[in-house]
């Protein structure tokens, strides 16, 4: 009947309105996204390095480009915009991938451990010296926990899943995750660390939210079975043994053990909790004007020099390099930056390593007069011949980048590290053997020396903005000074550019100059003692 058609048309109009409402809702979502990103990118582009100096900003940038922009693309594809998709296709080649997002997450976990930060502090963005405070959402915390979980790092999984759960419990609204998902990961991570009681409590809470959760029901039965077996075993042993076994079963493992025996000392130095020099030793540290041992360029205009440490002797030169020179070196290096490598003693080849996280590039003196000028300045200040040195190395360590404790004698010799940016927190060069911490100002230039093919480091030379920190890694005899074992701590807040003439890099962005021992026979002759 015709009346049925009327009802049919009414249904069509209702469906049409639902479609319009859905389209309007979609456009409203896109508009909110655009408004939020417009404000964020405006802030970021006004001060890119300062913005990315906050490790949370760097992580969230990776997460947005790798995950959230793809979700927006799927939303837009419901009613395709040719212009948007075309631009998306072009720009996608520059997007980070899963590995990049995972790397950014690992960097946050590294900073958390090195600087003893709790998850709530990081989530709220309460880091020292931050310019662009940023919060982590419950979804962000969940993502960090998942990445730790995939690497069987249940300690960090527990920390970040608990933070995600806390934020959800506090009323944060998330459309991407729920408490059930968080509790699923959290209960298993807790179980893997031996805390069976807590794992059962979390599993029961999960089942209160989702009684039909298949894995949780299976886990609960398994946990109850394990506990019953433990109870039976405990009844057959003494009370003392029972207590000891229970303590072992509920022990929290903490961060994963690693290969670095001095990890605790290194991280304490990075936090500024290292050895405090006695007043008697401090009185022996001075400031002076230095003329490069009567170098003609510095007789009438000597440079300022400060003592940083006594043994090994570490000094800092003040006002050594200009901002214009720094910017030139950075611009020359940026197109060439690639992941830094280390020498593998087993294969003899260069390879990447987790204890050295950075990107680097090499600059020759003939490429630009400023590079040649820096090389000449290093030679004048140190009195060492740079004709046998390696090229200037510029390195950028990015968020959480580091170079763990290492010697620069062996394959490398003297390093000159030019640090080309200020940092608000972290980023020290530390010497675990003696408890020294040398803090960055703006630029650092590090010098190292090597012996021909052996390339044994002799000196360390670091420039901070207009400053340079210098030390010898070798005795004049060519023997290594083991007290110069050093490391580059990860930058907590800020960005760091360093220049080095050698074959290693430090945290942040670095320029390094490695000067070989060969060629210094008459400039730094050895004495009759191998320890001189």
């Amino acid at each position: 009947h015709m009346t049925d058609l009327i009802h049919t048309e009414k249904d069509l109009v209702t469906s049409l309105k639902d479609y319009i409402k859905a389209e309007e809702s979609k456009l409203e979502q896109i508009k909110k996204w655009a408004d939020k990103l417009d404000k964020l990118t405006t802030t970021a582009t006004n001060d890119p390095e300062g913005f990315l100096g906050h490790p949370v900003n760097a992580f969230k940038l990776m997460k947005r480009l790798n995950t959230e922009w793809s979700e927006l693309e799927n939303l837009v594809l419901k009613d395709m915009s040719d212009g948007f998709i075309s631009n998306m296709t072009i720009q996608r080649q520059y997007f980070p991938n899963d590995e990049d997002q995972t790397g950014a997450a690992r960097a946050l976990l590294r900073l958390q451990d090195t600087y003893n930060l709790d998850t709530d502090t990081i989530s709220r963005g309460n880091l020292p010296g931050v310019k662009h405070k940023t919060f982590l959402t419950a979804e962000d915390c969940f993502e960090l926990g998942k990445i730790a979980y995939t690497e069987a790092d249940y300690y960090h999984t527990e920390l970040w899943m608990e933070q995600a759960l806390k934020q959800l419990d506090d009323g944060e609204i998330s459309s991407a995750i729920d408490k059930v998902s968080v509790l699923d990961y959290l209960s298993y991570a807790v179980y893997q660390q031996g805390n069976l009681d807590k794992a059962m409590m979390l599993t029961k809470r999960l089942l209160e939210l989702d009684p039909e959760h298949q894995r949780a029901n299976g886990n609960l039965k398994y946990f109850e079975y394990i506990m019953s077996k433990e109870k039976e075993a405990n009844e057959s042993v003494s009370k003392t043994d029972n207590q000891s076994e229970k303590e072992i079963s509920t022990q929290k493992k903490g961060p994963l053990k690693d290969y670095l025996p001095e990890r605790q000392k290194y991280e304490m130095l990075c936090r500024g909790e290292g050895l405090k020099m006695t007043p008697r030793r401090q009185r022996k540290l001075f400031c002076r004007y230095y003329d490069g041992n009567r170098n003609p360029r510095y007789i009438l205009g000597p440079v300022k020099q400060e003592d940083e440490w006594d043994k090994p002797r570490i000094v800092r030169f003040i006002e050594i390099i200009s901002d214009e020179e720094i910017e030139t070196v950075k611009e020359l290096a940026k197109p060439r930056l690639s992941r830094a490598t280390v020498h593998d003693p087993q294969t003899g080849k260069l390879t990447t390593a987790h204890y050295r996280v950075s990107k680097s590039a090499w600059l020759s003196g003939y490429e630009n007069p400023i590079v040649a000028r820096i090389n000449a300045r290093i030679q004048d200040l140190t009195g060492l011949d740079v004709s046998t040195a390696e090229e200037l190395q510029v390195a950028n360590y990015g968020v959480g980048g580091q170079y763990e404790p290492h010697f620069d004698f062996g394959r490398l010799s003297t390093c000159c590290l030019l640090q080309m940016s200020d940092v608000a927190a972290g980023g020290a060069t530390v010497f675990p053997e003696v408890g020294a911490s040398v803090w960055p100002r703006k630029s650092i230039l590090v010098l190292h020396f090597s012996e021909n093919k052996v390339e044994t480091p002799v000196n360390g030379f670091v420039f901070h903005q207009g400053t340079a920190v210098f030390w010898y890694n070798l005795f004049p005899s060519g023997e290594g000074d083991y007290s110069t074992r050093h490391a580059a701590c990860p930058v907590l807040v800020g960005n760091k550019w360093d220049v080095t003439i050698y074959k290693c890099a430090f945290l942040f962005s670095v320029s390094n100059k490695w000067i070989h021992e060969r060629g210094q026979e008459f400039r730094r002759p050895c004495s009759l003692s191998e320890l001189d």
Side-chain angles (χ1 to χ4, degrees):
H1 300 301
M2 293 290 292
T3 55
D4 292 335
L5 294 177
I6 296 294
H7 289 293
T8 299
E9 189 174 41
K10 176 62 175 178
D11 289 340
L12 289 174
V13 170
T14 301
S15 298
L16 179 60
K17 288 183 176 181
D18 289 342
Y19 168 74
I20 294 171
K21 186 176 181 179
E23 285 290 330
E24 289 175 342
S25 175
K26 182 186 71 174
L27 290 174
E28 184 63 24
Q29 291 181 57
I30 296 172
K31 184 177 183 300
K32 287 180 179 179
W33 174 271
D35 291 341
K36 181 182 73 171
L37 267 294
D38 182 55
K39 183 178 180 181
L40 183 64
T41 54
T42 298
T43 301
T45 53
N46 286 336
D47 183 14
E49 292 198 357
F51 185 83
L52 291 176
H54 195 310
V56 170
N57 282 336
F59 165 71
K60 296 195 72 169
L61 175 63
M62 295 292 177
K63 180 172 175 289
R64 282 197 305 276
L65 290 176
N66 182 52
T67 305
E68 296 177 9
W69 274 98
S70 294
E71 294 173 356
L72 179 65
E73 179 185 5
N74 292 334
L75 181 62
V76 172
L77 279 171
K78 293 179 182 178
D79 188 15
M80 190 72 165
S81 170
D82 292 337
F84 171 78
I85 296 303
S86 175
N87 190 37
M88 191 81 170
T89 302
I90 295 172
Q91 298 298 333
R92 185 180 295 279
Q93 60 183 313
Y94 305 113
F95 281 11
N97 54 27
D98 289 341
E99 183 180 358
D100 296 322
Q101 183 176 334
T102 299
R106 288 174 183 162
L108 272 179
L109 301 182
R110 189 181 308 126
L111 291 172
Q112 179 181 12
D113 292 342
T114 301
Y115 295 104
N116 265 349
L117 301 172
D118 59 72
T119 53
D120 194 60
T121 296
I122 299 176
S123 180
R124 294 177 181 274
N126 293 328
L127 303 181
V130 296
K131 296 172 63 178
H132 307 279
K133 189 172 180 178
T134 303
F135 296 86
L136 284 173
T137 64
E139 182 186 351
D140 296 329
C141 297
F142 180 76
E143 183 68 26
L144 286 168
K146 275 179 58 180
I147 290 173
Y149 179 88
T150 58
E151 298 182 352
D153 179 1
Y154 301 114
Y155 169 74
H156 286 107
T157 302
E158 179 183 357
L159 292 179
W160 285 102
M161 289 302 173
E162 283 186 336
Q163 181 63 30
L165 185 62
K166 175 181 179 295
Q167 293 181 204
L168 291 175
D169 286 342
D170 289 343
E172 182 177 324
I173 305 300
S174 174
S175 59
I177 63 169
D178 55 29
K179 294 180 183 180
V180 170
S181 300
V182 176
L183 286 165
D184 193 17
Y185 280 97
L186 179 56
S187 59
Y188 186 76
V190 169
Y191 163 71
Q192 284 293 331
Q193 295 184 91
N195 194 339
L196 193 57
D197 290 336
K198 185 177 179 181
M200 282 193 65
M201 180 270 291
L202 292 168
T203 303
K204 289 178 179 178
R205 183 180 174 187
L206 189 161
L207 289 171
E208 289 176 1
L209 299 173
D210 184 3
E212 304 301 321
H213 196 284
Q214 184 175 357
R215 183 164 48 250
N217 278 295
N219 287 344
L220 183 61
K221 291 179 181 178
Y222 177 72
F223 295 158
E224 290 172 342
Y225 170 78
I226 294 296
M227 291 192 76
S228 66
K229 288 295 184 181
E230 286 184 354
K231 185 177 180 180
E232 292 175 4
N234 290 341
E235 291 175 352
S236 63
V237 297
S238 67
K239 183 177 180 181
T240 302
D241 291 337
N242 176 40
Q243 291 174 344
S244 175
E245 184 175 339
K246 186 174 182 181
E247 288 174 2
I248 293 173
S249 67
T250 59
Q251 181 181 5
K252 191 170 183 176
K253 295 182 179 179
L256 298 175
K257 302 297 182 183
D258 68 359
Y259 54 88
L260 193 62
E262 61 208 306
R263 169 75 62 190
Q264 184 176 1
K265 192 172 184 180
Y266 155 60
E267 292 182 347
M268 287 181 64
L269 289 170
C270 290
R271 297 191 295 268
E273 301 171 1
L275 177 68
K276 304 301 180 184
M277 190 177 288
T278 64
R280 183 175 181 180
R281 290 175 66 185
Q282 287 179 343
R283 285 195 294 269
K284 296 180 181 179
L285 304 181
F286 296 95
C287 300
R288 65 187 66 82
Y289 283 100
Y290 180 73
D291 63 7
N293 293 323
R294 304 291 293 173
N295 186 287
R297 289 193 175 121
Y298 295 108
I299 290 177
L300 295 180
V303 299
K304 301 170 186 176
Q305 188 188 72
E306 296 177 357
D307 292 332
E308 289 275 353
W309 202 258
D310 52 355
K311 293 181 181 180
R313 185 169 185 247
I314 305 172
V315 298
R316 187 195 300 272
F317 295 98
I318 311 298
E319 298 174 359
I320 294 301
I321 191 166
S322 69
D323 289 341
E324 291 76 15
E325 289 171 325
I326 290 171
E327 290 305 314
T328 297
V329 170
K330 288 164 69 173
E331 291 305 315
L332 288 172
K334 282 178 181 178
R336 312 183 194 179
L337 289 173
S338 59
R339 176 71 188 268
T341 57
V342 296
H343 183 263
D344 188 332
Q346 295 182 340
T347 64
K349 298 179 180 180
L350 293 176
T351 183
T352 59
H354 58 86
Y355 57 82
R356 182 185 180 189
V357 183
S358 68
K359 290 186 176 182
S360 61
W362 299 87
L363 303 179
S364 300
Y366 65 80
E367 296 181 60
N368 190 284
I370 286 182
V371 177
R373 191 189 309 162
I374 292 174
N375 290 341
R377 194 173 301 149
I378 292 168
Q379 178 166 298
D380 292 338
L381 286 171
T382 62
L384 299 168
D385 188 354
V386 299
S387 64
T388 57
E390 301 185 14
E391 295 178 337
L392 196 71
Q393 185 202 45
V394 182
N396 181 289
Y397 282 76
V399 57
Q402 65 175 359
Y403 199 169
E404 291 179 354
H406 62 285
F407 293 110
D408 281 335
F409 52 83
R411 179 173 176 267
L412 303 173
S413 176
T414 297
C415 164
C416 179
L417 173 65
L418 174 61
Q419 207 171 66
M420 302 186 297
S421 56
D422 286 312
V423 295
T429 299
V430 300
F431 296 74
E433 294 297 315
V434 297
S437 297
V438 179
W439 298 92
R441 295 185 186 173
K442 179 176 179 182
S443 338
I444 299 182
L445 186 54
V446 175
L447 288 177
H448 288 284
F449 297 71
S450 62
E451 181 182 11
N452 202 358
K453 295 181 180 179
V454 179
E455 297 179 347
T456 304
V458 176
N459 302 348
F461 194 84
V462 186
F463 279 160
H464 293 281
Q465 172 191 358
T467 78
V469 179
F470 176 83
W471 68 91
Y472 283 107
N473 289 320
L474 293 182
F475 294 112
S477 64
E479 294 294 322
D481 183 351
Y482 287 88
S483 69
T484 61
R485 181 172 173 84
H486 59 283
C489 301
V491 171
L492 178 58
V493 177
N495 288 285
K496 206 168 171 187
W497 282 86
D498 296 334
V499 179
T500 313
I501 306 179
Y502 79 138
K503 292 189 184 196
C504 85
F506 282 101
L507 167 76
F508 355 113
S509 297
V510 189
S511 295
N512 298 316
K513 185 73 174 178
W514 284 98
I515 303 176
H516 295 252
E517 185 182 21
R518 177 174 55 85
Q520 317 307 329
E521 294 84 356
F522 298 102
R523 291 176 178 255
R524 191 178 185 239
C526 61
S527 67
L528 297 179
S529 172
E530 66 178 17
L531 297 179
D532 290 338

